Structures are given as structure tokens and as C-alpha cells.
Amino acid sequence: MRIAIDGPAASGKTSVGRTLAQQFGCRFIETGNMYRAVALAMARGLPLDAMTIDITEDERLLLNGEDVTGLLHTPELDQRSSEVATRPDVRTRLVALQREMAGRRDVVMEGRDIGTVVLPDADVKIFLRASSDIRARRRAGERGDHDLAGTIEQLRSRDERDSTRAIAPLNPASDATIIDTDQKTLAEVISAAADLVKEHLNERWHGV
Ligand code: CDP
């Protein structure tokens, strides 16, 4: 089974995706971390063809064998990852890697273009929406950051870049179910997402 979860920054993809993966026995893959790792490697002066990127089963990101998981979620890499994500060579390389990972076992894969480009035939496609205000509050809370206006501005510029790039812009797939999270608790969003997976499993087993 392949479950695609897409949505803008801080829309709740990771919390929802990780829980679904546990619930349905899938591997969870955060593709954003791969773009972050490429941005980190480039900041270190490494060319794309000299990078190897692996994600372990327990979600550690290895860059040329070094565990860089703890270095990826910084404001600087938020922006740099979205810049490198506009490059065709980077996307071609990472999409191939993501498809290969999804071919090995059941996955919940989270990102921006999973339902549209990486796994267009995913079994369940979910797109999470949330207002920029709420997303900025969530992100500032996660990072212990008190500059809400600054966080809003950073999300805005990243949303803009992610949504207007020429390749694989952030967009719900035409067959994705959109979950609007503004008026929902995390538990409610998870439950709505889990219902979609159960519906799929029911259809698969009973052919309805
Ligand atoms: O966690 P957050 O939603 O803030 O970002 P992320 O999922 O870690 O992704 C970081 C950046 O990588 C995004 O702003 C996108 O530009 C890029 N990305 C992408 O282009 N395609 C994906 N499938 C995942 C991430």
C-alpha cells in the first residue's frame, strides 16, 4: 500500500503521516528531509553527483554515511531546501530515489509532489491545507521561536517559491482528498486520514 501526503510547510504532514504509518504498518518517509540534506551538502560545497543520501528504517538521514538528521530543521535550511528544490537535476535524482524506496515495502510518503509526480498511482492521496497564520503558530511553537511575524514571512516566501516553481509545484493531485485542518484538532485530522485508508482497504478486500 502506498499513501501519499502532501501540503504546504507546517500543515501537519509529519504528525499525521507518522501516526498513519504506525497504525497501518507502513514505513514513513519524509521526502522534505532529502531536499534539506541536499541543501546542507551543497552549503558544504559538495556537488550533487558526489552525494549519497539514504534514509534508514528508523528515519535517520545519512549523507555520505554521516547521520545529519539533527542538522536539517533550521530556518536556514528551510529556505535553502526550497531553493535547491527548484533545480531539475536535484528533483530527478530524489524522485528516482523516492520511487525506489516506495517499491520496497508499504509506505506513507510525505512531501509536496508525492501524489502528483512521485507516486501518481498511490492508493490513498491526502492533501492537508491550513491557513498561513495557523501554520506559522505551529512552526514557531515547534521551534520555540517567539518571532511570529518573522515566521509568517518565512513561510510566505517558501510557499510562494514552492507553489510557483516550474517543476512539480505544490498542488493537490486531482484525485487527492483535501483535509482542511484549521478547525480540527490533530486527533481529528489523523482520524479523518485514517478513515480514508480504511475505506481503501475495505474496497480492496471486498471489491466495492
Ligand atoms: O517540514 P516542512 O513542511 O517545513 O518542509 P519539508 O517538508 O521538510 O520540505 C522542505 C522543502 O523541500 C520544501 O519547502 C520544498 O521546497 C521541498 N520539497 C519538495 O520540493 N518536494 C518534496 N516532495 C518535499 C519537499
Side-chain angles (χ1 to χ4, degrees):
M1 177 167 63
R2 295 181 307 169
I3 302 173
I5 304 186
D6 292 298
S11 54
K13 302 182 298 290
T14 305
S15 312
V16 174
R18 191 172 285 133
T19 309
L20 283 190
Q22 279 162 1
Q23 204 171 334
F24 295 99
C26 301
R27 178 171 180 193
F28 178 54
I29 300 170
E30 266 183 275
T31 60
N33 278 350
M34 300 166 91
Y35 289 90
R36 289 172 183 273
V38 169
L40 174 69
M42 284 181 174
R44 289 176 173 180
L46 219 61
L48 186 61
D49 57 11
M51 295 173 201
T52 62
I53 291 178
D54 293 307
I55 302 187
T56 64
E57 286 276 334
D58 58 346
E59 292 189 46
R60 310 304 299 179
L61 195 138
L62 306 181
L63 172 62
N64 291 358
E66 177 193 345
D67 186 343
V68 295
T69 320
L71 306 178
L72 300 177
H73 289 267
T74 63
E76 194 191 339
L77 286 182
D78 288 348
Q79 298 304 325
R80 284 187 185 238
S81 58
S82 129
E83 284 158 21
V84 303
T86 62
R87 287 179 46 162
D89 54 348
V90 170
R91 299 206 74 85
T92 304
R93 171 93 189 272
L94 293 188
V95 167
L97 199 55
Q98 289 154 12
R99 286 186 181 145
E100 189 201 310
M101 293 171 92
R104 283 188 227 144
R105 54 167 288 198
D106 288 350
V107 287
V108 174
M109 193 172 271
E110 176 240 285
R112 301 289 187 290
D113 60 341
I114 309 304
T116 50
V117 175
V118 180
L119 305 175
D121 56 352
D123 300 291
V124 180
K125 295 185 188 180
I126 297 168
F127 190 93
L128 297 182
R129 268 204 217 290
S131 66
S132 49
D133 221 52
I134 286 192
R135 291 188 289 117
R137 277 173 211 284
R138 282 184 196 148
R139 184 49 49 96
E142 278 165 19
R143 298 245 171 109
D145 178 351
H146 301 296
D147 175 17
L148 195 60
T151 307
I152 290 177
E153 178 46 33
Q154 290 203 351
L155 283 184
R156 198 205 52 74
S157 76
R158 194 144 64 101
D159 283 353
E160 165 86 17
R161 198 183 296 115
D162 289 349
S163 312
T164 58
R165 67 183 175 220
I167 319 166
L170 173 67
N171 249 324
S174 56
D175 53 350
T177 301
I178 296 175
I179 302 181
D180 204 318
T181 70
D182 274 4
Q183 311 297 328
K184 291 187 175 67
T185 63
L186 178 60
E188 287 170 335
V189 178
I190 290 170
S191 152
D195 284 349
L196 294 169
V197 179
K198 287 178 200 157
E199 227 170 80
H200 162 73
L201 291 174
N202 267 335
E203 281 170 18
R204 196 157 88 181
W205 298 123
H206 302 298
V208 285

